[in-house]
Amino acid sequence: MPEEEYQLIVIGGGAAGFFAAITAAEAGLNKILILEKTAEVLSKVRISGGGRCNVTHDCYDPKELVQNYPRGEKNLIGPFHHFQPADTIAWFSEHGVTLKTEPDGRMFPTSDRSETIINCLTDAAHNQRITWRTRCTASEVKITPQGFQILNTLGHSYRSQKLLIATGGLRSKDAAQALIDLRQDHSPTVPSLFTFKIGDIRLHDLQGISVPHARIKIGSLQSEGPLLITHWGLSGPAILKASAWGARKLADCDYRFKIEVNWTGQHDTESLSTIFQTQRKTNGTRRVYKRSPLENITKRLWQRMCESSSISPESTWSTLTKDQSTRLIKELTCATFTVDGKSLNKDEFVTCGGVPLDDLHLKTMESKHLPGLYFAGEVLDIDGITGGFNFQAAWTTGHLAGTAIAKHSTRAPSKPS
Ligand SMILES: Cc1cc2nc3c(=O)[nH]c(=O)nc-3n(C[C@H](O)[C@H](O)[C@H](O)COP(=O)(O)OP(=O)(O)OC[C@H]3O[C@@H](n4cnc5c(N)ncnc54)[C@H](O)[C@@H]3O)c2cc1C
């Protein structure tokens, strides 16, 4: 098979690779090839957001937006000034897809189907005559006087002036190979967005119970939000956020650490003592075990806390001892659990680490060391918390790279004489 020549080759047929390729093509670039190692392009888009694809987030101030990125934070302010959620919404709308916002700010296609996003991207790529090859792993990248030469596992050779690496999180050797060949530095990756394994009797058989606003502490790491008890431990936004912000620290201790939980979110010892005193005065004969005086603590969770505080089902508010009261307040505001591992959240999983942003021109996503080489998406040392922030980073970096590649590849239009 003769060597194929393109203006741009994209390694990785995910969200970032497709978005960059379409952007470049719509800006006038011809002859674009996307290489995808698996049998299907955009496979993560398909499974994303529980099959609904959380495309972006209802947040339009770059300074506020970057606060959702444990890695990338300040460096993303500039890129978000160029392409942010409002641009994502407009782009999809121009390509026939309307997005809707959920009460927590997450945005999904109105169809509630990730297929809508896949069809939109593949149709746009098709309209722009972009070629993509599946089951085609880029296994070697060389720099030659004629540009980049990419070889696949079957030994087939492709050549291009511009190369975009969009291989996603660097979990496999395939995803990192191009970086190794091009001597591109990349920090080791560890998981972000995972849930905590806790084998504690206090959580036993309580799976499915949640509180709308808990506060958690892991040493100096703090997080808050909804908290969910699962079969294996704790999950929910408060935990996922902590796992993202503490990704490296938690990996360093092999996911074995102590976590402190305030199930009430806003209460402390003082405010709970006041509530308990009021109960003693107004409901002295009522059994403590029977009902929680706190709206957000469900009956089963409350009863488990009473049991852990040695409060018998017969104890009333007026017979509650000081010691029992202190223990119950402690269970509510700073219950300590031992985490002994992580479990991946079935809905979302990204990697922390990758190509350092200092190695790129952040307006173009081009390498500072190797002109013509660009990066986009999760291969970069950027990751967000749950809520559509990871795809937004893929759209933003893909758009910047695609725009710059087209601009630097096509001849500037000559002035009319
Ligand atoms: C289960 C799950 C659900 C998620 N849900 C959401 C969500 O709802 N919202 C959100 O914002 N984020 C979500 N994420 C995160 C989001 O999917 C990623 O951040 C995003 O897909 C990154 O896009 P990407 O194009 O950089 O990488 P990817 O989507 O990983 O694409 C990279 C592609 O490169 C290919 N590749 C790698 N190496 C090679 C090679 N050598 N040759 C050829 N091809 C190669 C891979 O096969 C892959 O298809 C979810 C992640 C998971 C795992």
Side-chain angles (χ1 to χ4, degrees):
M1 232 187 185
E3 186 174 67
E4 294 178 43
E5 201 159 336
Y6 292 87
Q7 280 198 301
L8 165 65
I9 290 178
V10 177
I11 307 181
F18 261 77
F19 207 68
I22 297 165
T23 304
E26 290 182 347
L29 196 72
N30 295 309
K31 293 215 81 181
I32 302 174
L33 173 69
I34 302 173
L35 302 176
E36 168 52 47
K37 74 169 182 173
T38 67
E40 197 197 359
V41 293
L42 299 163
S43 53
K44 270 213 205 154
V45 173
R46 186 175 299 288
I47 56 168
S48 68
R52 295 198 298 143
C53 187
N54 180 189
V55 178
T56 185
H57 202 93
D58 182 30
C59 176
Y60 309 103
D61 174 1
K63 279 201 185 125
E64 198 187 315
L65 190 59
V66 297
Q67 287 168 22
N68 298 289
Y69 293 86
R71 262 73 47 191
E73 212 182 352
K74 289 203 177 72
N75 283 313
L76 281 170
I77 294 179
F80 284 146
H81 272 293
H82 289 279
F83 198 88
Q84 55 126 308
D87 301 301
T88 304
I89 297 164
W91 192 93
F92 278 101
S93 166
E94 280 156 23
H95 291 77
V97 176
T98 34
L99 303 179
K100 60 169 179 175
T101 311
E102 305 228 316
D104 60 3
R106 292 179 302 157
M107 301 192 76
F108 295 87
T110 45
S111 65
D112 269 333
R113 295 181 65 222
S114 54
E115 183 111 22
T116 304
I117 302 298
I118 296 175
N119 291 343
C120 170
L121 293 170
T122 49
D123 286 353
H126 188 75
N127 290 342
Q128 293 297 331
R129 298 167 191 269
I130 294 168
T131 309
W132 61 92
R133 302 268 156 79
T134 53
R135 294 197 174 92
C136 189
T137 305
S139 53
E140 198 179 342
V141 179
K142 293 179 186 169
I143 304 165
T144 71
Q146 293 80 36
F148 296 96
Q149 185 192 13
I150 295 101
L151 297 159
N152 73 5
T153 35
L154 302 172
H156 192 68
S157 172
Y158 307 89
R159 203 177 286 275
S160 69
Q161 288 303 315
K162 308 279 182 214
L163 176 64
L164 173 75
I165 299 182
T167 48
L170 300 171
R171 265 161 269 168
S172 69
K173 193 174 170 288
D174 287 337
Q177 192 56 48
L179 304 181
I180 296 165
D181 291 347
L182 296 170
R183 302 205 173 142
Q184 170 58 55
D185 197 13
H186 51 283
S187 56
T189 56
V190 293
S192 176
L193 297 176
F194 48 87
T195 60
F196 297 169
K197 265 196 206 159
I198 299 172
D200 192 300
I201 188 87
R202 286 171 293 170
L203 302 179
H204 201 71
D205 275 345
L206 293 185
Q207 62 273 9
I209 288 180
S210 63
V211 292
H213 184 218
R215 266 191 287 145
I216 63 166
K217 254 198 229 172
I218 303 160
S220 57
L221 183 69
Q222 298 195 24
S223 156
E224 55 188 286
L227 184 67
L228 172 71
I229 302 175
T230 63
H231 280 99
W232 59 86
L234 290 175
S235 176
I239 298 294
L240 292 173
K241 256 190 262 174
S243 80
W245 288 99
R248 282 224 182 273
K249 197 173 142 186
L250 302 183
D252 287 348
C253 62
D254 198 23
Y255 307 102
R256 282 163 222 283
F257 53 89
K258 298 253 186 259
I259 176 174
E260 219 178 270
V261 178
N262 181 335
W263 296 94
T264 73
Q266 85 273 29
H267 287 295
D268 57 13
T269 307
E270 210 177 312
S271 64
L272 282 181
S273 299
T274 311
I275 293 174
F276 284 14
Q277 250 161 18
T278 312
Q279 288 298 316
R280 232 173 254 135
K281 278 187 201 147
T282 55
N283 293 317
T285 54
R286 184 180 286 167
R287 285 189 287 149
V288 178
Y289 190 82
K290 196 122 197 245
R291 191 172 357 129
S292 158
L294 302 163
E295 201 188 341
N296 293 328
I297 304 292
T298 63
K299 190 170 174 184
R300 279 179 64 211
L301 181 58
W302 172 258
Q303 293 185 339
R304 182 60 57 82
M305 288 178 182
C306 289
E307 286 158 17
S308 311
S309 313
S310 309
I311 298 168
S312 77
E314 283 71 41
S315 300
T316 61
W317 281 104
S318 57
T319 60
L320 194 68
T321 66
K322 188 154 190 284
D323 183 46
Q324 286 171 325
S325 169
T326 307
R327 285 168 76 171
L328 185 53
I329 288 175
K330 197 169 170 222
E331 281 302 321
L332 283 159
T333 58
C334 59
T336 305
F337 297 94
T338 302
V339 175
D340 64 356
K342 65 169 168 50
S343 4
L344 299 182
N345 180 30
K346 68 178 179 358
D347 291 330
E348 196 149 346
F349 168 45
V350 292
T351 55
C352 145
V355 173
L357 300 182
D358 285 349
D359 285 7
L360 312 182
H361 296 288
L362 290 172
K363 283 189 179 154
T364 59
M365 296 294 136
E366 189 175 20
S367 159
K368 284 182 185 168
H369 314 298
L370 189 54
L373 175 65
Y374 296 78
F375 300 93
E378 210 182 310
V379 70
L380 295 165
D381 190 11
I382 295 175
D383 60 87
I385 57 171
T386 52
F389 302 106
N390 285 300
F391 277 135
Q392 184 54 53
W395 313 133
T396 296
T397 53
H399 194 272
L400 285 171
T403 306
I405 292 167
K407 194 170 162 195
H408 296 132
S409 303
T410 46
R411 205 174 292 137
S414 49
K415 278 191 189 151
S417 47

